[in-house]
Amino acid sequence: MDAGHNAPEPRYWEKLRTIAGILRELEGPIVVVSHVDPDGDAIGSSLGLARALRTLDKDVRWIAEPPRFLRFLAREDEYADPVEHLPEGATLVVLDAAEPGRVAGAPVEGFVVNIDHHGTNPRFGYLALVDPSKAATAQIVKDLIDTLEVPWSSDIATPVLTGLITDTGNFRFSNTTPEVLRTAAELVGYGVHLAELTDRLQWRPPGYYKAMGAVLSTVEFHFGGLLVTAHMPPGVSVEDSDDFVGLIRYAEGSQIAVFLREREEGVVKLSIRSRGGLSAQAVAVRLGGGGHVPAAGATLRGVTLAQAYPQVLAAVEEELRRLGYI
Ligand code: 5GP
Ligand code: MN
């Protein structure tokens, strides 16, 4: 991927002011959604914005299906059901969705505001604020809530901070900029119970730990150890399996890690991580997916797990050659 793909949005604050102005004036329903397989940033940024807009007495519908480990963030009465059509006169605010096809819970139609930080986002929607220099969509939502002049509370700050925590890998990844740390400090200052929040975010169901053993028994090294792979063995299924790529990515000597999971028959989801100048994003794009340079993903259709492996190896090989590793 060219670097320009991840360049900051030059009219960031101008666009934020435009979006804030529009949201403030809206009288119709505001439908807030994010992406399929939502992560902490998808849930955190959308719930934070939904709560902020509710304080402005807007008719807000937050449509989300959080994974088990994030469900503690929201109350039962905060959810709205997925819709096939938007309500009359509604505005759709889409958060953290890299492409229109990944939007979950509502059709991408009518007046769409697209707020995201994925470089591969095609800037869909009537208004698109896509800033790949931001660590998380939650960072953009933090700035939007400031621009809306909504008073901060721990209720609003907690999901927003969650997005920052999860997308920076607990403030460890290269996207952990001084801006991220300053924003996190500010959000903690609004009354977030940080230790409680980070503890809850790590809770996993008991079956997860059994599955971890099964996954680790599939670890394989390729290209002299430059690539490490693992998959979810057929028959093993567990909620909150998305972070299994994190179990293998620190294998010494590896530059790329790929975790494969057959989501349903013929549909294989890939989680890809990279370091050392290699681009997980470039590998993902070759396989029809997208994401960020160090963390990306793709969904292969019409393949079994066994058929997915050669495709992954070919895409990774191309990336290793491009950078002169092999
Ligand atoms: P994860 O591996 O954690 O699911 O995803 C890592 C990153 O890649 C996320 O930013 C996510 O949005 C992106 N990503 C994951 N799966 C896909 C996919 O199937 N298509 C696209 N375009 N992006 C994906
Ligand atoms: Mn994100």
Side-chain angles (χ1 to χ4, degrees), residues 182-206:
R182 275 193 292 269
T183 302
E186 188 183 333
L187 293 172
V188 171
Y190 297 133
V192 179
H193 300 289
L194 183 64
E196 208 174 289
L197 175 62
T198 54
D199 183 55
R200 276 308 298 259
L201 286 171
Q202 301 303 325
W203 288 16
R204 296 293 179 275

Side-chain angles (χ1 to χ4, degrees), residues 39 41 96 117-118 136-137 167 292:
D39 56 13
D41 191 28
D96 201 44
H117 71 132
H118 294 91
T137 298
D167 263 24
H292 312 282

Side-chain angles (χ1 to χ4, degrees), residues 201-263:
L201 286 171
Q202 301 303 325
W203 288 16
R204 296 293 179 275
Y208 174 95
Y209 296 91
K210 294 273 189 193
M212 196 190 280
V215 166
L216 289 177
S217 71
T218 71
V219 168
E220 275 186 89
F221 295 94
H222 317 261
F223 307 111
L226 290 167
L227 167 65
V228 55
T229 59
H231 64 262
M232 188 72 98
V236 179
S237 107
V238 66
E239 283 183 284
D240 296 333
S241 65
D242 289 27
D243 53 358
F244 278 146
V245 71
L247 295 177
I248 57 171
R249 64 181 305 186
Y250 296 105
E252 205 175 296
S254 71
Q255 303 292 338
I256 299 190
V258 181
F259 176 67
L260 304 85
R261 177 167 51 108
E262 189 167 33
R263 182 184 295 140

Side-chain angles (χ1 to χ4, degrees), residues 7-93:
E9 161 60 56
R11 295 193 297 135
Y12 183 73
W13 288 102
E14 185 188 328
K15 287 190 172 185
L16 270 181
R17 281 191 293 273
T18 302
I19 293 171
I22 289 170
L23 291 176
R24 273 198 159 275
E25 294 306 315
L26 281 177
E27 285 178 9
I30 306 177
V31 178
V32 182
V33 295
S34 61
H35 59 79
V36 291
D37 292 332
D39 56 13
D41 191 28
I43 296 301
S45 60
S46 60
L47 179 58
L49 182 62
R51 285 182 176 168
L53 291 171
R54 284 205 178 110
T55 70
L56 297 172
D57 285 330
K58 302 292 175 190
D59 172 2
V60 181
R61 324 264 170 100
W62 179 60
I63 303 175
E65 291 183 71
R68 179 178 165 131
F69 80 103
L70 293 169
R71 274 177 224 151
F72 74 96
L73 286 168
R75 293 178 299 270
E76 273 308 310
D77 63 357
E78 290 187 278
Y79 293 92
D81 290 328
V83 292
E84 273 181 36
H85 295 286
L86 291 182
E88 185 69 26
T91 297
L92 182 69
V93 182

